[in-house]
């Protein structure tokens, strides 16, 4: 598997684990009219030594016809992001910027048979429901006719991943003083995503005397 290495590169296994935890992204492919995109939940699995992203679309989604076993798809998995003002730094004359995390997974897409719809639905629900503090709901609890009608209306696609690109810009190149100043600003934010980024910045450089934990 080939891993692209941008300026702020996430190691491959960390990138895959980030995508697995998120479980939702934007999948993109192009036809003669240009790019097509859908926002999708997904499953990430290992099969025969390969990383597989499995998604489903409604049967009428244009991406279904593009999953022809030859065309490449791209899955974009975004994490938290935050705008950083230039006066948040401890030092002078910094440029305003954005901090963020994101992973791109790409490869050839293959359309699966209708017989895989139920297994895909069961697994996707099990993963999503396990994140909630309640008794899991599953497809067996749905009225059978409604369930079969719903499952018949989707198509499952496997994206066989051969390229992973992970990026995390968390001010890695800044001084300790600037790193702490920005992390403290984010930790005070009312937005939970900003606070999560602050905790990751603190974990990146522990023991620097942050004001806000």
């Amino acid at each position: 598997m080939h891993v692209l290495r941008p300026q702020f590169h996430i190691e491959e296994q960390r990138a895959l684990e980030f995508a697995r935890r998120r479980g939702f992204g934007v999948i993109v492919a192009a036809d003669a009219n240009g790019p097509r995109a859908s926002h999708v939940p997904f499953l990430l699995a290992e099969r025969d030594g390969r990383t597989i992203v499995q998604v489903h679309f409604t049967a009428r989604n244009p991406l279904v016809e593009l999953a022809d076993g030859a065309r490449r798809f791209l899955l974009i998995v975004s994490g938290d992001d935050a705008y950083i003002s230039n006066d948040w730094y401890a030092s002078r004359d910094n440029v305003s910027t954005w901090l963020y995390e994101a992973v791109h997974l790409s490869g050839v897409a293959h359309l699966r048979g209708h017989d895989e719809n139920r297994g895909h639905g069961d697994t996707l629900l099990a993963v999503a429901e396990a994140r909630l503090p309640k008794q899991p709901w599953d497809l067996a609890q749905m009225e059978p006719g409604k369930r079969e009608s719903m499952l018949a209306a989707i198509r499952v696609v496997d994206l066989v991943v051969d390229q992973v690109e992970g990026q995390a810009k968390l001010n890695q190149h800044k001084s300790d003083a600037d790193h702490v100043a920005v992390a403290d600003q984010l930790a005070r934010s009312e937005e939970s995503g900003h606070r999560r980024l602050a905790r990751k910045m603190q974990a990146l450089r522990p023991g620097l005397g942050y004001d806000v934990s």
Side-chain angles (χ1 to χ4, degrees):
M1 184 180 296
H2 177 60
V3 184
L4 297 183
R5 302 185 182 277
Q7 183 180 5
F8 304 107
H9 144 244
I10 303 177
E11 181 267 332
E12 178 181 328
Q13 289 305 313
R14 285 181 54 212
L16 292 172
E17 183 56 32
F18 172 88
R20 189 190 312 276
R21 289 196 308 270
R22 297 292 294 173
F24 194 85
V26 180
I27 200 157
V28 182
D31 61 16
N33 296 316
R36 304 277 190 171
S38 284
H39 297 255
V40 293
F42 64 86
L43 297 168
L44 196 62
E46 294 292 326
R47 188 186 306 152
D48 300 326
R50 300 178 299 180
T51 298
I52 307 294
V53 172
Q54 190 169 82
V55 301
H56 69 273
F57 306 108
T58 60
R60 295 183 178 181
N61 190 309
L63 289 170
V64 171
E65 292 187 4
L66 299 183
D68 56 8
R71 197 180 307 263
R72 296 183 64 80
F73 278 33
L74 168 67
L75 176 68
I76 302 168
V77 186
S78 297
D80 297 311
D81 63 84
Y83 170 71
I84 307 301
S85 178
N86 58 3
D87 60 7
W88 283 9
Y89 294 96
S91 60
R92 291 177 52 86
D93 299 326
N94 284 281
V95 177
S96 300
T97 191
W98 277 259
L99 304 188
Y100 63 91
E101 292 183 294
V103 166
H104 297 172
L105 306 178
S106 58
V108 175
H110 302 261
L111 185 63
R112 308 300 296 184
H114 286 287
D115 58 335
E116 297 201 26
N117 289 8
R118 177 62 188 272
H120 170 79
D122 283 341
T123 305
L124 184 64
L125 280 174
V127 170
E129 289 282 324
R131 296 170 176 162
L132 303 178
K134 69 178 184 70
Q135 186 69 23
W137 184 88
D138 59 45
L139 285 173
Q141 300 175 52
M142 180 179 284
E143 190 275 321
K146 176 68 173 178
R147 179 181 65 232
E148 297 313 310
S149 175
M150 180 196 71
L151 288 171
I154 68 171
R155 297 304 307 270
V156 175
V157 169
D158 281 353
L159 169 60
V160 181
V161 177
D162 60 24
Q163 196 167 71
V164 178
E165 179 184 3
Q167 297 187 34
K169 184 180 178 184
L170 298 175
N171 270 0
Q172 290 93 328
H173 64 293
K174 294 294 184 181
S175 69
D176 284 349
D178 284 335
H179 190 90
V180 168
V182 169
D184 284 345
Q185 288 284 355
L186 291 174
R188 298 185 188 101
S189 173
E190 295 182 359
E191 295 191 29
S192 57
H194 292 181
R195 296 195 299 273
R196 284 192 294 267
L197 285 175
R199 289 192 293 271
K200 291 182 178 182
M201 291 181 68
Q202 292 167 358
L204 194 63
R205 298 192 198 179
L208 292 184
Y210 300 94
D211 288 340
V212 184
S213 61

